[in-house]
Amino acid sequence: MHVIQPKIRGLICVNAHPSGCAFTVQDWIRSAQGITLDKKPQTVLVIGASTGYGLATRIISAFSGNAATYGVSFEKSPRAGKPASAGWYNNRAFGSLARREGLHATTMEADAFADTTKHDVIAALAANGHKVDLLVYSLASPARMHPRTGKLHRSVLKPIDTPFKARTLDIWTGEVSRIELPPATEQEIEDTIAVMGGEDWRFWIDALAEARLLTPDFQTLAYTYLGSEITWPIYWHGTIGRAKADLDRVAANIRRDYHADAARVVALKAVVTQASTAIPVVPLYGAALMKTMTSLGLEEGCFEQIGRLFTTRTKTRFQPDDDADRIRMDDLELSSAVQDNINEIWPSLNTRTVADLTDLDGFRAAFLRIFGFGHPRIDYEKPVNLFQISDGFR
Ligand code: NAD
């Protein structure tokens, strides 16, 4: 039994609270039970299912739509004195509540890029007599061991062609400082595409098709971020943007090779997740965005974004909203009301003004909540068992 308090190292929190994670999953599940879906996929496979957008997708599929869900994620198990990753606790909370509702839930904690993981998911689907009618690709990973070449690719967050000079925020000290990032090399661009581009998404679809485990009218979604002028130099015009553009290419190929609605890229809003806070500028932009969208009554987190995706874009199937055939859930973030406000305060953001002009406290709280900290129903002075999520969890 251990008392668990947040341990922050640089941009990341290196521990997680078992009951805090479980209660947050339970909160999302309760909200999902209040949502009615027009179209209900029967069997949903989520790649990257344990946190952030993938977890929201799995919860809404299961608890709003009664789908059988399969989730793949990469986790750290607990060890003596060391908590597991947040996703490990989230997966157990999800599994326990799904079982209680009689919902099928298979979770694979393994490397989604590996052929063995694909084989294991295929074997489980076949054994359960399930065919996938929705596959959601929600992976955010820093590295990929290529299953065919054995080469390890590492993604980088860098600009392309010109150095990127900007201000960024240390969310713990509140310091706004200047950073300069050199442009990526060709190799770094290629590596980032290999990790975060569409090749592995396509491998999943082809492997399932070959095993005859896709329904004839299946759909697949991959999540992307486009952002606004402030984040373009490091995001859409940077290495990660190249990888995201590759998702658009692969989506078009899947539509060509399977059917006209088979694949969609979904542009989502910037939210606080483990992946997004590691991107330079994003915490400063995100804290400004949170304040602006909250004041306009438009703020959404992962759960609200995916709830809106599943309730407003799926009368019959997921349909595109723009000329690039993408679904645009970033419409509110990119609305002129929101962007004009951010552009107005942006030049004045510095260490002195950041607490007033942005929602720094809200951003910190949302970050800590990812790891199970700051939940109002948890007594964080109380020791907990690191190997289970049952303490006080109903
Ligand atoms: P996240 O860090 O919360 O979740 C990433 C998931 O991927 C986790 O479940 C993790 O376990 C899993 N994962 C990572 N490497 C893996 C591996 N090798 N094998 C199996 N699972 C692995 O990330 P997120 O922010 O929810 O991002 C999900 C997707 O949404 C990404 O494609 C991201 O670009 C996109 N997106 C994020 C934002 C944002 O602001 N967070 C905005 C728009 C789009």
Side-chain angles (χ1 to χ4, degrees), residues 48-54 72-75 110-113 138-141 143 196 223-225 235 244 268-271 273-276:
S50 65
T51 53
Y53 276 126
V72 179
S73 69
F74 205 58
E75 307 303 342
D111 181 8
F113 297 126
S138 184
L139 211 68
S141 177
M196 288 296 287
Y223 294 156
T224 199
Y225 182 66
Y235 202 96
K244 293 297 190 186
L268 296 164
K269 92 176 257 287
V271 290
T273 66
Q274 297 184 55
S276 67

